[in-house]
Amino acid sequence: MPRCTQKIAPAVTVPKGVAEQQSRWPILPGTTMPAFGQSSGGMLTDAQIDVITKEIRSRWSKQGILEAATVPSYAPKSAGDAQRGEVAYKTFCESCHGPNGGGGNKGSAITNDSFLALVSDQGLRTIVITGRPELGAPDWRGNVPGRPMSDQEVTDVVAWLASQRVQNPGQPYSASNYTEYQEPQDVRRK
């Protein structure tokens, strides 16, 4: 039985020393996020960064929670395949989000054209990996007991979701229907 209603919070597992070092870089690689450390132009001293990092770990870290798991990477390692993604979607996601992602008893529509237009592929990947614990949506480990999604399955599901994007999102009416409701040119106000 799928566990779509189980709340699974993502674990914070950053190796000791990595977070402290990253916070001192001028720009976090791959992002526009600036560093916090004074040595890189930020406002915080190394001691302040150490205190913040220690407190984050003490409150959010769950040591050992991912020891036996092969965690999907933040960025895809290879190209996704939408056909394989559809199969993976049916295995891991359809029981909550319904056929074709249109929504189900336990999950919302995830192929909504406006949603897909607003969220990037990386955003989709992050949601698939971390889940939405505040909504009761499981992470990559939580929907099929004893069978977490592989990195490639995450990548393929994202490719399938991305393939569901429409060219003109958020427009429920076709252009021909829209013209029926426009005022004739001679009636329009000048």
Side-chain angles (χ1 to χ4, degrees):
M1 179 98 188
R3 299 180 311 204
C4 294
T5 58
Q6 181 178 356
K7 294 191 185 291
I8 301 173
V12 176
T13 55
V14 178
K16 200 153 188 65
V18 171
E20 294 86 343
Q21 183 59 43
Q22 285 178 341
S23 63
R24 293 179 179 94
W25 291 338
I27 298 290
L28 189 59
T31 73
T32 57
M33 182 177 172
F36 299 111
Q38 288 177 345
S39 61
S40 299
M43 298 178 64
L44 301 176
T45 66
D46 287 351
Q48 290 170 320
I49 291 171
D50 291 340
V51 168
I52 291 169
T53 305
K54 178 183 171 206
E55 289 301 315
I56 287 173
R57 275 207 180 86
S58 72
R59 294 168 194 226
W60 296 332
S61 183
K62 296 179 181 179
Q63 296 300 317
I65 194 168
L66 298 175
E67 283 179 2
T70 303
V71 181
S73 63
Y74 173 75
K77 296 177 182 176
S78 62
D81 179 279
Q83 288 180 324
R84 286 192 317 249
E86 183 176 16
V87 172
Y89 172 84
K90 287 178 180 180
T91 301
F92 295 100
C93 313
E94 186 175 75
S95 63
C96 292
H97 294 286
N100 301 316
N105 292 336
K106 300 176 186 174
S108 62
I110 56 172
T111 54
N112 173 280
D113 60 341
S114 295
F115 168 72
L116 289 175
L118 292 170
V119 68
S120 68
D121 287 0
Q122 183 60 57
L124 290 170
R125 183 174 183 85
T126 300
I127 292 168
V128 171
I129 293 170
T130 63
R132 293 287 308 270
E134 74 280 11
L135 299 176
D139 64 12
W140 58 279
R141 303 167 291 179
N143 199 35
V144 177
R147 170 105 165 64
M149 294 177 80
S150 69
D151 187 81
Q152 190 61 52
E153 287 168 328
V154 170
T155 300
D156 292 341
V157 165
V158 171
W160 179 77
L161 287 168
S163 76
Q164 305 303 303
R165 288 187 174 114
V166 297
Q167 185 174 359
N168 297 309
Q171 298 184 17
Y173 305 110
S174 69
S176 62
N177 286 343
Y178 179 70
T179 56
E180 288 178 31
Y181 299 105
Q182 287 184 333
E183 294 178 353
Q185 284 284 41
D186 59 334
V187 177
R188 289 186 189 169
R189 294 184 184 151
K190 296 180 181 180

